[in-house]
Amino acid sequence: MARPNGIRMPAEWEPHERCWMVWPDGAVWEDDLESVERDYTAVVHAISRFEPVRMIANPHSAARARDLLGSEVEVVVHPVDDAWFRDSGPSFVHLPDGSVAGVCWRFNGWGGANEAFEKDAALARRVLEEEGLPVITSALAIEGGAITVDGQGTLMTTESVVFNANRNPGITRAHAEAEFARTLGVERVIWLPGDEEEFGTNGHIDGMACFTAPGKALFEWSAEETGERAELTEENHRALLDGSDAGDRPLVLSYLREASSNSAKGSGEWGYCLSYVNFYIANGGVVMPEYGIPQDAEAREVIQAAFPDREIVQVGITNLARGGGGIHCITQQQPKPVDG
């Protein structure tokens, strides 16, 4: 479906050219780096079953990445600060002729939560220019993990990220929606309250909910059934129930619960990712988290029901999760071109 300005951000389930990732190194993971590398390698090999993976690595980490990943994964060298390419990388879109371009948001280290972000702030443009892809710039300070789209003009995001003074002080809802329309071809925004107190991300949507098909979404309940976090989850749920897509359809929702909080072992300063909805949709598959607990099987069933025609692959991320993110956070899909 073409948008009024001809730009369209495809849904994640549409065909991919490749998956992009950034290799972790000692500058980011000072403790137990080898365990984190094992989780990354397992995620890469799972995604590689369905589509090519192109790995970005710091100059001093490239040889290590090539050794562990093998020849099937292309490693390219770019200077980076952190390994969460979903947030620092471009959001890929289709232009009116069906070719691919990328949106470069104003990346400011998650509102200053990470003081070292100059390399990451330049990364999206650097990748696009090296790939020979057009660059669409935006003054909106946001991260890729803060948005999800249905490919038909609907975007879901959180107020706690977009309207946060640490990113976009004074921005209005109308201004933000106009920017999403200009850059991504969005016609309707579904606003969830989010979670301003979540350290670092301030409540990214990719730890709460995602579209699974046009008119359908998956919502993740908090592991806590009572208390402030449970109440905030219910507020986000009500906002999603009240929303409708660009075709004026109320969303059909399916549900799962995040991993039990007792699975969070050795949490770092950015918390511990408990999300199952933080998965990656690949060509013909879904690569989702596994925490080594009985709840993993239940979550797999829910996601299989949401994507009945795709193979579900679970990957253990108990080391990666200590950094506060999951599989979706470390990946970014590049869509295939389409006929305009």
Side-chain angles (χ1 to χ4, degrees):
M1 179 183 296
R3 308 269 63 86
N5 66 354
I7 292 176
R8 184 181 73 93
M9 183 175 180
E12 193 170 322
W13 55 79
E14 297 184 48
H16 300 171
E17 187 76 26
R18 63 178 55 86
C19 173
W20 287 87
M21 298 177 65
V22 170
W23 185 250
D25 62 32
V28 179
W29 302 92
E30 296 180 357
D31 300 324
D32 202 15
L33 176 59
E34 290 186 4
S35 296
V36 176
E37 289 176 330
R38 286 197 295 270
D39 284 3
Y40 268 75
T41 300
V43 171
V44 171
H45 288 163
I47 294 174
S48 295
R49 293 176 51 191
F50 303 102
E51 64 192 50
V53 175
R54 184 169 290 171
M55 181 66 68
I56 297 169
N58 265 314
H60 60 270
S61 302
R64 173 72 172 173
R66 292 187 178 101
D67 286 345
L68 292 179
L69 297 176
S71 59
E72 67 181 271
V73 177
E74 181 183 3
V75 176
V76 296
V77 177
H78 290 292
V80 296
D81 297 300
D82 221 319
W84 309 104
F85 193 65
R86 174 67 53 176
D87 293 342
S88 59
S91 295
F92 291 99
V93 297
H94 283 143
L95 297 177
D97 64 357
S99 62
V100 174
V103 178
C104 296
W105 309 108
R106 182 169 62 86
F107 182 75
N108 70 347
W110 300 276
N114 189 346
E115 295 181 358
F117 63 85
E118 291 184 2
K119 297 173 185 175
D120 285 349
L123 184 59
R125 176 181 286 274
R126 185 180 297 117
V127 166
L128 292 170
E129 289 179 347
E130 186 165 296
E131 293 297 303
L133 298 175
V135 174
I136 300 171
T137 59
S138 176
L140 191 67
I142 199 173
E143 303 86 38
I147 59 174
T148 181
V149 300
D150 68 352
Q152 297 192 351
T154 314
L155 178 142
M156 194 189 309
T157 190
T158 64
E159 297 171 344
S160 59
V161 171
V162 178
F163 301 132
N164 200 308
N166 65 14
R167 289 175 174 83
N168 303 293
I171 194 173
T172 65
R173 186 177 298 249
H175 184 180
E177 291 184 349
E179 187 65 356
F180 287 135
R182 182 185 73 85
T183 57
L184 305 177
V186 169
E187 297 178 354
R188 174 79 50 88
V189 178
I190 299 175
W191 293 97
L192 274 62
D195 183 359
E196 188 169 354
E197 298 304 315
E198 182 181 68
F199 181 76
T201 72
N202 299 118
H204 276 184
I205 194 68
D206 68 358
M208 302 177 187
C210 68
F211 291 107
T212 57
K216 296 182 179 181
L218 180 61
F219 182 80
E220 185 168 71
W221 294 108
S222 167
E224 302 172 15
E225 299 186 24
T226 60
E228 293 184 4
R229 193 153 182 269
E231 293 174 2
L232 182 59
T233 303
E234 181 54 43
E235 290 179 18
N236 283 294
H237 179 231
R238 286 196 298 269
L240 192 54
L241 285 176
D242 291 341
S244 58
D245 67 11
D248 290 325
R249 296 172 296 190
L251 296 179
V252 176
L253 301 182
S254 54
Y255 300 92
L256 77 172
R257 189 172 293 277
E258 69 180 3
S260 171
S261 58
N262 63 15
S263 65
K265 300 177 181 178
S267 300
E269 64 171 333
W270 284 63
Y272 189 94
C273 178
L274 298 168
S275 178
Y276 285 111
V277 79
N278 198 277
F279 52 72
Y280 180 77
I281 306 172
N283 291 336
V286 177
V287 179
M288 64 170 289
E290 183 177 76
Y291 296 97
I293 57 177
Q295 193 180 340
D296 291 341
E298 178 183 346
R300 181 190 180 105
E301 290 179 3
V302 173
I303 293 175
Q304 183 68 82
F307 299 96
D309 298 328
R310 294 178 185 263
E311 181 182 351
I312 309 301
V313 179
Q314 284 187 290
V315 178
I317 63 164
T318 53
N319 301 297
L320 162 64
R322 288 189 293 106
I327 293 173
H328 196 257
C329 298
I330 63 174
T331 54
Q332 180 66 264
Q333 71 278 359
Q334 179 181 336
K336 287 185 176 180
V338 298
D339 294 333

